[in-house]
Amino acid sequence: MSERPPISAGYDVNPARSASLHADAYTHDQWFDVDTQAIIKRSWQWVCHVEKTREPGSYTTAEVGGQRIAVVRDYKGELRAFYNVCKHRAHHLLTGEGNTSLIVCPYHAWTYKLDGRLHGAPHTKHLVDFNKSDICLDEIQVEEFCGFVFVNLDPNAPSLATQSGDLKSEVMHWAPDVADLTFAHRLQYDIKTNWKNVVDNFLECYHCPTAHKDFCDLVDMDTYKVTTHGIYSSHMADAGNSANSAYDVADATVKTHAVWWLWPTTCLMRYPGRSSMIVLNIIPVGKDRTLETYDFFLETPDPNAMEQDAIRYLDEVLQVEDIALIESVQRGMESPAFTQGRIVHDPEGSGKSEHALHHFHGLVLDAYAAEHA
């Protein structure tokens, strides 16, 4: 049996000369394990809109890299994140979201202050060398960024604001009211593909004229421009100038399709319509399974008719098209007929170029190299 080539084989820093990421990275358990350890657990992961943790005592819970976490606003106004695990017998502490004055374990009622310090532990007064002040929940890095809450399991990771360069100024330019929007709707999908196929598909519109004809009416493809930066890419286009078959934007106040991908799994989207932000959160589950959530943040908690139609279009048309594409790609990558393909590159940076996909692959390979250094 011949030895498999290195995972970086075929990749070139010049997208015009480069092949795509090797199929092994999408189909082998060993690389999914590296994805989890070297990428997901060391990068900034989206949790929620700031509205969920705006008030003192408010909290929300999530799972990141297979770890349960809780985000809490303490009574000094500081945002904190912890592993959602009791220091007594490892039971989870908080569930869902809400508001609380203390964090109480539902197993043995050990109680923690909102800063993570142990407040009470029933029937422990006779224990030897037991000091409540020595016990505190394990903290996780947490950051408010562009109206959203992100966490990072890596205690040594630089801040998201530092890593992301000009992303905040870009988002705030196109969506200055993002922190004032409110949650309106969620779509969820369970997809039979590797998470990197989801990202790949999101990062290029080379497939749009073939697979998304409605979308190509919604936006002016001649104005579609994709720009890559350190750990993100910007995808910008004007709204289409005529009636389209996606959804009616005749009364739209936002005329720009403004989309950002943030390494590795967060996509922020501002579609034509009213002021809004859609967050696509990509959640790796296995080498051939990915969960997606689409959260719609709007001016009001009830979508208007145009937004209802946009949600319907995304759910019943665009996602149906995309899921069929990426599940087919996963099946093809698992066949002996495919190893990797060429990156299609337009030096002008049009939406029909795959240079943002190539940029993503470079970041993946950098993470792989760092893990095996």
Side-chain angles (χ1 to χ4, degrees):
M1 188 178 194
S2 61
E3 185 176 337
R4 303 193 78 83
I7 199 66
S8 60
Y11 179 84
D12 192 289
V13 293
N14 180 353
R17 282 202 299 257
S18 185
S20 61
L21 191 58
H22 198 284
D24 283 358
Y26 301 79
T27 59
H28 283 212
D29 286 322
Q30 72 176 89
W31 291 112
F32 180 77
D33 292 342
V34 176
D35 287 347
T36 302
Q37 298 301 322
I39 297 177
I40 303 304
K41 289 186 175 181
R42 295 184 185 173
S43 59
W44 288 94
Q45 296 288 310
W46 182 86
V47 176
C48 64
H49 190 275
V50 293
E51 70 174 349
K52 281 191 178 181
T53 56
R54 190 169 275 148
E55 300 302 321
S58 59
Y59 70 86
T60 192
T61 59
E63 187 172 304
V64 174
Q67 301 297 315
R68 290 175 168 180
I69 63 106
V71 178
V72 181
R73 179 80 63 180
D74 70 19
Y75 281 98
K76 293 181 180 179
E78 185 174 349
L79 193 63
R80 297 178 179 273
F82 308 99
Y83 284 98
N84 192 17
V85 176
C86 184
K87 303 299 284 187
H88 173 224
R89 291 273 297 283
H91 197 278
H92 76 270
L93 294 167
L94 295 170
T95 302
E97 58 190 63
N99 194 287
T100 188
S101 57
L102 292 168
I103 300 171
V104 182
C105 180
Y107 196 6
H108 298 99
W110 279 38
T111 304
Y112 302 83
K113 296 179 180 179
L114 299 185
D115 63 4
R117 291 179 297 162
L118 183 64
H119 176 69
H123 311 298
T124 57
K125 65 181 180 181
H126 300 300
L127 298 185
V128 178
D129 297 329
F130 178 82
N131 190 336
K132 287 192 301 183
S133 64
D134 293 336
I135 299 174
C136 187
L137 299 178
D138 287 12
E139 287 207 56
I140 296 167
Q141 285 207 74
V142 62
E143 190 170 336
E144 294 180 52
F145 183 80
C146 292
F148 298 102
V149 175
F150 290 80
V151 298
N152 195 321
L153 301 183
D154 181 358
N156 300 313
S159 71
L160 179 53
T162 299
Q163 288 190 43
S164 60
D166 293 331
L167 176 59
K168 183 175 182 179
S169 62
E170 278 194 39
V171 173
M172 299 313 292
H173 172 77
W174 293 104
D177 59 346
V178 61
D180 299 322
L181 300 175
T182 189
F183 175 76
H185 193 77
R186 167 172 280 193
L187 299 173
Q188 301 181 76
Y189 307 93
D190 191 336
I191 308 172
K192 297 174 183 177
T193 195
N194 185 274
W195 71 276
K196 296 186 292 297
N197 272 326
V198 180
V199 177
D200 287 350
N201 184 70
F202 182 88
L203 290 177
E204 52 91 356
C205 219
Y206 182 40
H207 69 283
C208 292
T210 304
H212 301 316
K213 298 186 185 303
D214 300 303
F215 180 82
C216 291
D217 289 334
L218 177 64
V219 304
D220 182 352
M221 290 299 294
D222 291 337
T223 66
Y224 205 121
K225 181 83 171 178
V226 179
T227 309
T228 62
H229 307 271
I231 62 165
Y232 76 96
S233 55
S234 306
H235 306 247
M236 302 290 178
D238 295 336
N241 296 317
S242 58
N244 71 85
S245 52
Y247 63 93
D248 184 9
V249 294
D251 296 326
T253 55
V254 172
K255 304 288 189 181
T256 303
H257 171 78
V259 172
W260 298 269
W261 167 77
L262 172 62
W263 164 262
T265 54
T266 303
C267 306
L268 307 176
M269 298 176 278
R270 192 166 168 94
Y271 277 19
R274 277 201 305 174
S275 182
S276 67
M277 187 66 80
I278 308 168
V279 180
L280 164 57
N281 188 29
I282 300 165
I283 306 166
V285 178
K287 66 179 176 61
D288 54 3
R289 184 180 174 215
T290 303
L291 303 180
E292 285 184 340
T293 59
Y294 279 81
D295 284 339
F296 292 76
F297 299 95
L298 308 176
E299 294 179 15
T300 59
D302 296 316
N304 65 18
M306 177 171 53
E307 290 158 347
Q308 289 175 357
D309 204 26
I311 292 169
R312 175 209 56 78
Y313 163 68
L314 198 154
D315 184 36
E316 298 179 9
V317 180
L318 193 60
Q319 275 297 96
V320 171
E321 293 167 343
D322 273 333
I323 290 173
L325 292 172
I326 56 181
E327 289 188 339
S328 176
V329 167
Q330 184 69 30
R331 292 191 295 271
M333 285 183 167
E334 290 169 349
S335 81
F338 182 83
T339 301
Q340 58 194 149
R342 284 297 295 267
I343 294 292
V344 174
H345 178 233
D346 174 7
E348 298 299 318
S350 78
K352 297 176 185 177
S353 173
E354 294 178 322
H355 60 287
L357 183 149
H358 172 266
H359 170 245
F360 167 54
H361 291 179
L363 292 173
V364 170
L365 291 173
D366 286 347
Y368 287 178
E371 180 71 3
H372 290 91

